Amino acid sequence: MKKVYSEVDNVVFRDLFFASPIASYICNVEGFVTVVNDAAIALWGREPEIGKEKWSGAFAISSVDGRPMPLEKSPMARAVIGQEGVSGEEIVIQRSDGTQRIVLVFPKPIHTAAGACIGVCTTLVDITHYKQYEERQAALSEIVQSSDDAIISKKLDGTILSWNAGAERIFGYSEHEIIGKSIYTLIPTYLRSEEETIIREIREGRKVDHYQTIRVTKSGKEIPISLTISPMRNKQGQIIGASKIARDISDKIQREQTIQFHAQKLETLHAIGKVISEKLDTHSIIQTVIDSTTHLASADVGLCFYRISDDQGHTSLSVAVAAHGNNNEYYNLHLDEGIIHAIFAGEDVVKFDDVCEAAHVLSLFDTKEGAKAPRIRHCLAIPIRSGDKLLIGAMFFGYAQSDVFKTADEDMMRSIALLVAVTLDNARLLEEVNALNLKKNEFIALASHELKTPLTTIKGYLQILERSEIDQVGRRFLTKALKQLERINALIAELLDISKIEAGKLSFHFERFDMSEMVLDVVETFHFSSQTHTIFVNNVRGDYTVVADRQRMEQVIINLITNAIKYSPDANNVYVALESSVHEVSVQVKDEGMGMSRDQQEKVFTRFYQVEGTSKMTGLGLGLYLSKEIIERHGGHIGVNSELGKGSTFYFSIPRGQ
């Protein structure tokens, strides 16, 4: 029995219909819209013409899959004809501004008291935002699940709320195994205080970014990870937990370690190459090489056998040892050369997986009684071959642990063996050069001595002639001959000094004297011998006392003044100045000559160097080289300031005492 509503009830229902925030409208049995509330007008974005538009006030309707929906097929039309299951269908409506909304349709047929259908009342529920949220959540869920990183959410008390496939892959726990458990399940005991710090940051609303730490997998393995942790808030903005992204950085750390190893390898090779290029002491070089290589190869012991010659030219097999402990713990460091050739017959690198099976190799690592060195079980042997492929030595690396032995970098050791071979070849060449240099010095010394004897005799004869009655022309040529004889003697003296410097036999006789007096004596000599230049001396008053080799200092000053005169043919003056301080005495010689370029200044003190364009001037280019050696062996410094066309100033300083 249907309830009959009073007029008052109808007024109430009408007011509720129009005031409802839910979009509602009524169509008659033919489908024409007869009543619409404000919520429906707002949803459609327009007000339909009452009695003229059918089934909907929207511009168009379509299915959720995008297909246009004819009005007679709409849920409202199907409800009027009594079709079941139309309530709650989703449709898409086209609004007046071109936008679309997704709505749920609830059509309710209207019947008379007699049961005849006279229309339909339709309610529309806008679910657009819900559907968008649902799609976003589905997309986010897909992203989370497909991520290679572990993405985890947890409460502030550490209870795990969500767990993706990446977390399962990294930590080994399935979702049903870990959800509801504490995050401490993944944290090593010794790092649990970290979690308290992290939660404190999250409670304060701060993000923890790229924090590197250690976590534990289901199997108990500790792995390095990088964490990014952000606060998780509810709709009211309250922090209720944390979302955590964990990335396994084991591969990254391994790559970094590999890069570091190769960088260390290159650095070691560079350092070894630098030692080889800078040092001449073969024993020191080989010791440096075997120390570095043993460390880089993670070996317990390193041995390098190499052949080297002594001063008499006899060769012998030497050995350098490198060990983590005391090198003196190893005593049986003798290896027959025939055994070396037997080991490397036709081989490049030889591995002894068990040295107990090779007695001659095992004996190399014998230690003294009571030694603390580890027992060597494995050995890697590298041959050292010269440029012509001759076997000139070998390196042996002993290992106590098999895993380190198997991962030894053989390519690196081959490279180092090549460097050692270069060292030994260089040592051999250096010995040959030294031998030739010794013979050269002996020849120069002998030649100088042999030349001085006849020159001394010639000088004596010329001096006798000088005291004789000879005409003006003869005396003129006699003077020239004596002058040339002095030049020859000076050249021989310079060559002899060079030979002594190279042999380390240039001797000095130190005495206390006044540098200013000595300079004045030298300048006075030039006043009589030079007809082209006037020499001025400044600052001669003062304390210029030094302890030095007077004869060698005189030699330096004569060289500098001679050069000043020689290289300023178009000038008339040379200036000599002295300066002193508490610790040293300085001398400057300035000319007004042709000057030098920057490049020429850098070369002027080298042996046999002559400034370009001065080849017609006499000399071997040894004077400044000898001067530099003399000053530096006095612990002083010599230099030059010059400018092309504006003359040069040579200067030197020596300490007061030696």
Side-chain angles (χ1 to χ4, degrees):
M1 180 177 177
K2 292 189 177 181
K3 184 176 179 181
V4 179
Y5 295 98
S6 66
E7 186 66 28
V8 175
D9 292 333
N10 290 333
V11 171
V12 172
F13 291 149
R14 184 187 62 191
D15 290 344
L16 288 174
F17 175 85
F18 285 109
S20 174
I22 299 174
S24 301
Y25 66 100
I26 298 173
C27 299
N28 61 22
V29 73
E30 287 85 14
F32 290 104
V33 178
T34 58
V35 183
V36 179
N37 71 356
D38 290 340
I41 294 172
L43 178 61
W44 291 325
R46 63 183 290 273
E47 185 174 357
E49 293 186 49
I50 302 300
K52 292 184 178 181
E53 296 184 38
K54 299 181 70 174
W55 302 119
S56 174
F59 274 138
I61 61 175
S62 61
S63 302
V64 290
D65 59 6
R67 290 180 298 170
M69 179 180 289
L71 291 174
E72 62 273 14
K73 298 291 185 181
S74 66
M76 299 76 75
R78 287 184 282 128
V80 169
I81 62 176
Q83 187 174 333
E84 300 289 336
V86 296
S87 184
E89 278 191 26
E90 288 184 22
I91 65 170
V92 179
I93 64 172
Q94 187 82 24
R95 289 162 50 90
S96 59
D97 60 1
T99 60
Q100 294 181 336
R101 310 296 288 182
I102 304 171
V103 298
L104 291 177
V105 183
F106 296 94
K108 180 70 175 175
I110 304 172
H111 295 90
T112 64
C117 182
I118 60 172
V120 62
C121 178
T122 304
T123 301
L124 303 176
V125 179
D126 188 354
I127 61 169
T128 305
H129 293 303
Y130 170 77
K131 293 294 288 187
Q132 290 174 345
Y133 173 78
E134 192 177 56
E135 289 172 0
R136 284 198 301 269
Q137 289 299 105
L140 287 173
S141 178
E142 184 61 31
I143 292 171
V144 168
Q145 288 302 321
S146 62
S147 174
D148 289 334
D149 295 333
I151 301 178
I152 306 165
S153 64
K154 63 182 180 181
K155 295 180 181 179
L156 292 177
D157 64 2
T159 303
I160 297 172
L161 297 174
S162 65
W163 186 263
N164 74 335
E168 182 173 345
R169 182 184 59 80
I170 292 174
F171 296 108
Y173 293 98
S174 65
E175 187 175 6
H176 75 271
E177 286 179 309
I178 199 71
I179 295 294
K181 290 188 177 180
S182 172
I183 197 69
Y184 287 110
T185 307
L186 309 176
I187 302 175
T189 305
Y190 59 89
L191 290 179
R192 292 203 167 188
S193 60
E194 278 186 357
E195 183 66 12
E196 297 172 6
T197 303
I198 291 171
I199 291 298
R200 189 160 50 248
E201 292 293 303
I202 295 299
R203 287 184 186 276
E204 295 293 328
R206 290 189 287 267
K207 181 180 179 182
V208 179
D209 205 8
H210 301 299
Y211 179 75
Q212 292 191 8
T213 185
I214 302 294
R215 291 296 181 260
V216 182
T217 66
K218 182 179 178 180
S219 64
K221 179 183 177 183
E222 292 188 354
I223 58 171
I225 64 169
S226 174
L227 288 177
T228 297
I229 308 166
S230 303
M232 195 166 63
R233 304 174 187 270
N234 60 16
K235 290 182 179 180
Q236 290 74 39
Q238 298 171 324
I239 297 172
I240 59 172
S243 62
K244 178 183 297 187
I245 300 175
R247 174 167 294 176
D248 184 353
I249 56 174
S250 302
D251 292 341
K252 177 189 173 197
I253 290 178
Q254 187 173 5
R255 285 194 300 271
E256 289 174 350
Q257 289 174 342
T258 301
I259 291 170
Q260 184 179 3
F261 170 76
H262 286 295
Q264 186 181 6
K265 170 182 169 181
L266 291 174
E267 186 179 342
T268 300
L269 291 175
H270 172 72
I272 290 172
K274 188 176 180 182
V275 167
I276 288 174
S277 64
E278 291 180 351
K279 288 189 177 182
L280 296 177
D281 182 359
T282 304
H283 296 286
S284 176
I285 292 173
I286 299 297
Q287 187 63 56
T288 301
V289 169
I290 197 64
D291 286 342
S292 301
T293 310
T294 303
H295 173 72
L296 193 59
S298 300
D300 295 290
V301 186
L303 308 175
C304 183
F305 292 90
Y306 59 101
R307 182 164 290 284
I308 195 166
S309 302
D310 57 20
D311 294 338
Q312 286 73 40
H314 302 125
T315 62
S316 60
L317 203 60
S318 298
V319 61
V321 186
H324 292 313
N326 187 351
N327 291 355
N328 294 327
E329 292 182 344
Y330 297 88
Y331 70 95
N332 191 24
L333 298 174
H334 303 286
L335 192 62
D336 185 82
E337 193 166 347
I339 294 177
I340 294 180
H341 283 276
I343 291 174
F344 299 107
E347 294 288 345
D348 180 15
V349 175
V350 181
K351 276 191 170 185
F352 297 93
D353 293 316
D354 186 355
V355 293
C356 294
E357 297 177 359
H360 53 287
V361 176
L362 178 63
S363 64
L364 294 176
F365 302 105
D366 283 346
T367 56
K368 296 177 181 178
E369 187 175 351
K372 297 180 180 180
R375 181 184 175 190
I376 301 303
R377 301 176 182 274
H378 319 278
C379 178
L380 184 65
I382 316 287
I384 301 172
R385 299 185 185 277
S386 63
D388 50 7
K389 304 302 180 183
L390 292 176
L391 189 64
I392 56 176
M395 293 190 293
F396 294 84
F397 298 95
Y399 294 84
Q401 301 296 325
S402 173
D403 54 342
V404 183
F405 162 68
K406 290 178 180 177
T407 57
D409 192 336
E410 296 179 21
D411 290 336
M412 177 201 64
M413 296 183 183
R414 287 191 189 93
S415 299
I416 294 175
L418 289 174
L419 291 175
V420 175
V422 170
T423 301
L424 297 176
D425 278 343
N426 288 346
R428 178 175 54 82
L429 292 173
L430 181 62
E431 289 165 4
E432 294 175 2
V433 169
N434 286 339
L436 291 172
N437 197 46
L438 181 62
K439 291 178 180 179
K440 179 205 71 175
N441 291 336
E442 290 175 352
F443 169 76
I444 291 175
L446 179 62
S448 299
H449 177 73
E450 293 298 324
L451 285 171
K452 279 196 170 188
T453 301
L455 286 175
T456 302
T457 304
I458 292 170
K459 185 176 181 180
Y461 290 152
L462 290 175
Q463 287 173 337
I464 292 172
L465 282 173
E466 191 177 27
R467 291 193 292 270
S468 303
E469 294 290 335
I470 56 176
D471 59 21
Q472 187 175 358
V473 174
R475 185 166 297 281
R476 178 183 173 190
F477 284 107
L478 182 63
T479 301
K480 287 182 177 291
L482 283 168
K483 187 174 181 180
Q484 293 301 320
L485 190 64
E486 290 299 326
R487 284 185 57 204
I488 292 172
N489 272 324
L491 292 175
I492 291 173
E494 285 185 346
L495 285 172
L496 191 58
D497 281 346
I498 291 291
S499 177
K500 289 179 179 179
I501 287 172
E502 292 182 344
K505 296 179 180 178
L506 186 65
S507 59
F508 292 92
H509 174 66
F510 293 103
E511 58 181 301
R512 185 178 297 276
F513 65 94
D514 189 324
M515 183 76 80
S516 62
E517 290 182 4
M518 188 264 287
V519 169
L520 290 173
D521 288 344
V522 171
V523 170
E524 186 178 3
T525 303
F526 276 97
H527 283 162
F528 292 104
S529 61
S530 175
Q531 283 79 41
T532 59
H533 289 70
T534 302
I535 303 171
F536 298 92
V537 184
N538 299 322
N539 302 334
V540 292
R541 295 182 181 278
D543 181 11
Y544 296 104
T545 305
V546 294
V547 175
D549 187 315
R550 183 186 181 101
Q551 182 180 349
R552 295 296 181 186
M553 286 295 106
E554 188 175 299
Q555 183 180 352
V556 171
I557 293 171
I558 290 173
N559 274 333
L560 296 182
I561 296 176
T562 301
N563 281 350
I565 294 172
K566 185 194 302 184
Y567 292 104
S568 58
D570 299 327
N572 301 316
N573 300 324
V574 173
Y575 303 92
V576 180
L578 289 89
E579 293 181 3
S580 67
S581 66
V582 176
H583 301 292
E584 62 182 18
V585 171
S586 303
V587 177
Q588 295 180 1
V589 178
K590 180 182 178 182
D591 64 60
E592 298 173 336
M594 59 186 67
M596 291 180 289
S597 67
R598 175 68 61 184
D599 182 60
Q600 291 169 338
Q601 292 176 55
E602 292 176 354
K603 299 176 182 176
V604 74
F605 291 103
T606 57
R607 186 170 47 175
F608 302 119
Y609 179 76
Q610 287 185 308
V611 175
E612 292 86 344
T614 61
S615 57
K616 293 182 180 179
M617 296 182 180
T618 58
L620 296 175
L622 293 174
L624 289 176
Y625 171 76
L626 284 169
S627 298
K628 183 174 184 289
E629 289 291 328
I630 291 168
I631 295 301
E632 288 183 350
R633 296 203 183 193
H634 276 76
H637 170 72
I638 189 169
V640 61
N641 292 319
S642 183
E643 189 176 346
L644 280 173
K646 295 185 179 180
S648 303
T649 300
F650 285 86
Y651 58 89
F652 70 85
S653 301
I654 63 168
R656 287 185 178 274
Q658 296 296 320

